[in-house]
Amino acid sequence: MLILVSCVLLVWNEFGMNRELRIDAHSKLRLWSYDDRESGGMSVASVAKEGDEYVLRCEFSRSYRWPFCGFNLGPGPDPLTEGYDLSGYQTLELDLVASPKANAVRIFLRNYNPDYADPRNFRTLKVNELHFDPNKEVMPFVTELDKFQVAIWWVNEFSIPPALVERELTNVVNFGFGFSQNADEKLHELRFKSITFRGKWISRSSLQSIIIGTWIFSALVYLFVSFISTQRAIDAVKAEKEELEEINSALELERRELETLATRDSLTGVYNRFGLRGHLHSQSALVKQRKSDLSVIFIDLDNYKDINDDHGHAIGDQVLKSFAGLVEANTRTQDVFCRWGGDEFLLMCDNTALAEAVAIAEKLRTVISDYQWPPGVKVTCSFGVAEMDPDESIGSFIRRADVSLYKAKEAGRNKVVADLEEKRDSSIKLG
């Protein structure tokens, strides 16, 4: 019976147990437009409900360096402190139509948390954002909520500590949609139909835990009843217990394998090599097509072993987590940050030539050196920078940056060294 129930629950979880949240023009939400006039620009935005759609019209003015406009949907009157918990949803589906020349639409999910937000100040809401090209996507546009990233400008403007810079969707009080500054025509229109969030009422991992727990509980009940019934069953009970321990060991091994395949580093929360691999392959393909530049920065914490030896591994781990948060807070949205291994990290900078990557590395070197670390701890880093050549392999590209890193360490550490030599092929595994 348990087998049947377990199978039914797993099948139901795969094809059912779905929940959905839909926001459209019929939702009872506040609607208002915004534009760059609040920042000194002259762009003008207006939004209105037309039938089953919200229609945004933007008249851009280049009087502001980064013109923008859009509209917001909010669940209630100010102050906004109660919204939607989207943490249990995995994907969103956005149905809209944008002007043919509008090549960048932004989605904002603003979250309220009293740890960082003032309910009287709309700008203090955490900005989880996603950019996409509506004319390169099939509508309705479907994407994972994991693709949203916290806006770096928001982190910098309000000096958010590293512990609070992660994506957060537990209390979304505002939905924003609009055009970003690279809109290249004066007039643009966006017709918003709906945004739908989808997920499972019970995640697959939680359901598996419940099923396993039920199985283990049932087995223990069986063992207890067998023990009370007859002493002769002791040997059989022991054998069954050993079998259950083998099953638990196999499940633990499987769990560890799944953790190894995860895309995020468990300590720092940044990408691991597996998580970086897809980004690196896609961006290197653009380089080979001569459509983009790509640079990488290897970063190594100087004398990190001494920190562990002198202050303990707890402080060493805290240094790594603070370091990761500091780098992410001082890099761009398109940059991909990865823990390469131990105290060595890699920053992938797409659409970035060597000179700009060196400037990024120099900025990070100064920020890290000047940061207020725990008492008695001084942290500096060495940096190796390289730009990918369209005719070389990924392995050669990564190897050149790695060699530059070791040159920086050999030159006395706390330095940035850029690779300026010919590319040499090598083999580097990304995990």
Side-chain angles (χ1 to χ4, degrees), residues 185-366:
E185 288 195 350
K186 185 175 182 181
L187 297 176
H188 281 287
E189 181 179 277
L190 186 149
R191 307 186 76 87
F192 169 86
K193 298 180 180 179
S194 66
I195 184 171
T196 305
F197 300 90
R198 294 190 173 90
K200 299 287 185 181
W201 283 108
I202 303 177
S203 68
R204 188 174 185 83
S205 60
S206 298
L207 180 60
Q208 288 174 339
S209 298
I210 293 172
I211 292 174
I212 292 171
T214 302
W215 275 86
I216 294 175
F217 176 77
S218 300
L220 292 175
V221 170
Y222 172 77
L223 292 175
F224 177 76
V225 172
S226 297
F227 178 79
I228 297 297
S229 300
T230 176
Q231 289 295 322
R232 297 181 208 179
I234 292 177
D235 292 340
V237 169
K238 288 182 178 179
E240 188 169 350
K241 183 179 179 181
E242 291 174 355
E243 181 180 358
L244 286 173
E245 290 175 348
E246 291 176 358
I247 292 173
N248 288 336
S249 297
L251 290 173
E252 177 65 16
L253 178 61
E254 181 179 358
R255 183 186 67 81
R256 291 178 181 177
E257 291 174 348
L258 290 173
E259 288 178 349
T260 301
L261 291 175
T263 61
R264 292 278 178 176
D265 174 58
S266 59
L267 175 65
T268 62
V270 302
Y271 282 109
N272 56 24
R273 290 196 191 191
F274 186 82
L276 172 72
R277 185 171 63 178
H279 295 282
L280 188 55
H281 279 291
S282 62
Q283 291 303 318
S284 64
L286 293 177
V287 174
K288 292 181 182 299
Q289 297 168 15
R290 302 181 186 275
K291 294 182 178 180
S292 179
D293 297 321
L294 176 63
S295 295
V296 294
I297 305 172
F298 261 116
I299 311 172
D300 185 87
L301 276 72
D302 296 331
N303 301 315
Y304 176 71
K305 182 178 182 300
D306 293 343
I307 296 176
N308 276 331
D309 293 342
D310 297 341
H311 302 278
H313 290 281
I315 294 297
D317 288 348
Q318 184 58 48
V319 166
L320 286 179
K321 289 189 282 187
S322 297
F323 163 79
L326 191 61
V327 171
E328 289 197 313
N330 287 276
T331 50
R332 305 165 304 179
T333 302
Q334 73 264 30
D335 297 333
V336 179
F337 190 41
C338 158
R339 186 178 184 184
W340 192 257
D343 59 343
E344 193 168 76
F345 294 77
L346 184 146
L347 182 66
M348 189 188 85
C349 306
D350 66 300
N351 197 26
T352 303
L354 183 64
E356 186 178 0
V358 169
I360 293 172
E362 285 288 357
K363 173 188 175 183
L364 291 175
R365 186 187 67 79
T366 301

Side-chain angles (χ1 to χ4, degrees), residues 54-301:
Y54 287 132
V55 180
L56 170 70
R57 294 182 175 88
C58 295
E59 183 176 350
F60 282 101
S61 170
R62 292 296 176 181
S63 60
Y64 182 58
R65 185 177 181 183
W66 299 289
F68 62 87
C69 70
F71 72 93
N72 288 311
L73 292 171
D78 292 330
L80 295 177
T81 58
E82 295 185 6
Y84 298 92
D85 184 358
L86 303 181
S87 60
Y89 296 90
Q90 287 79 50
T91 64
L92 68 79
E93 178 183 288
L94 181 63
D95 192 1
L96 57 77
V97 177
S99 303
K101 292 297 182 68
N103 57 8
V105 168
R106 297 190 293 182
I107 312 172
F108 300 102
L109 302 178
R110 292 182 171 90
N111 196 83
Y112 173 79
N113 185 328
D115 290 343
Y116 51 73
D118 181 350
R120 296 164 299 179
N121 186 348
F122 177 80
R123 291 181 59 82
T124 63
L125 298 175
K126 179 177 284 187
V127 181
N128 305 280
E129 65 177 0
L130 176 70
H131 296 207
F132 74 100
D133 187 339
N135 295 300
K136 292 183 179 179
E137 302 290 345
V138 176
M139 290 297 166
F141 171 60
V142 178
T143 187
E144 298 177 352
L145 288 176
D146 287 345
K147 298 290 181 64
F148 279 80
Q149 299 292 331
V150 176
I152 296 300
W153 63 262
W154 178 82
V155 173
N156 294 334
E157 180 175 346
F158 296 102
S159 301
I160 303 300
L164 297 176
V165 300
E166 293 294 323
R167 178 180 57 251
E168 189 175 356
L169 300 173
T170 56
N171 188 22
V172 176
V173 297
N174 176 267
F175 305 89
F177 310 89
F179 298 109
S180 61
Q181 63 266 21
N182 62 344
D184 54 6
E185 288 195 350
K186 185 175 182 181
L187 297 176
H188 281 287
E189 181 179 277
L190 186 149
R191 307 186 76 87
F192 169 86
K193 298 180 180 179
S194 66
I195 184 171
T196 305
F197 300 90
R198 294 190 173 90
K200 299 287 185 181
W201 283 108
I202 303 177
S203 68
R204 188 174 185 83
S205 60
S206 298
L207 180 60
Q208 288 174 339
S209 298
I210 293 172
I211 292 174
I212 292 171
T214 302
W215 275 86
I216 294 175
F217 176 77
S218 300
L220 292 175
V221 170
Y222 172 77
L223 292 175
F224 177 76
V225 172
S226 297
F227 178 79
I228 297 297
S229 300
T230 176
Q231 289 295 322
R232 297 181 208 179
I234 292 177
D235 292 340
V237 169
K238 288 182 178 179
E240 188 169 350
K241 183 179 179 181
E242 291 174 355
E243 181 180 358
L244 286 173
E245 290 175 348
E246 291 176 358
I247 292 173
N248 288 336
S249 297
L251 290 173
E252 177 65 16
L253 178 61
E254 181 179 358
R255 183 186 67 81
R256 291 178 181 177
E257 291 174 348
L258 290 173
E259 288 178 349
T260 301
L261 291 175
T263 61
R264 292 278 178 176
D265 174 58
S266 59
L267 175 65
T268 62
V270 302
Y271 282 109
N272 56 24
R273 290 196 191 191
F274 186 82
L276 172 72
R277 185 171 63 178
H279 295 282
L280 188 55
H281 279 291
S282 62
Q283 291 303 318
S284 64
L286 293 177
V287 174
K288 292 181 182 299
Q289 297 168 15
R290 302 181 186 275
K291 294 182 178 180
S292 179
D293 297 321
L294 176 63
S295 295
V296 294
I297 305 172
F298 261 116
I299 311 172
D300 185 87
L301 276 72

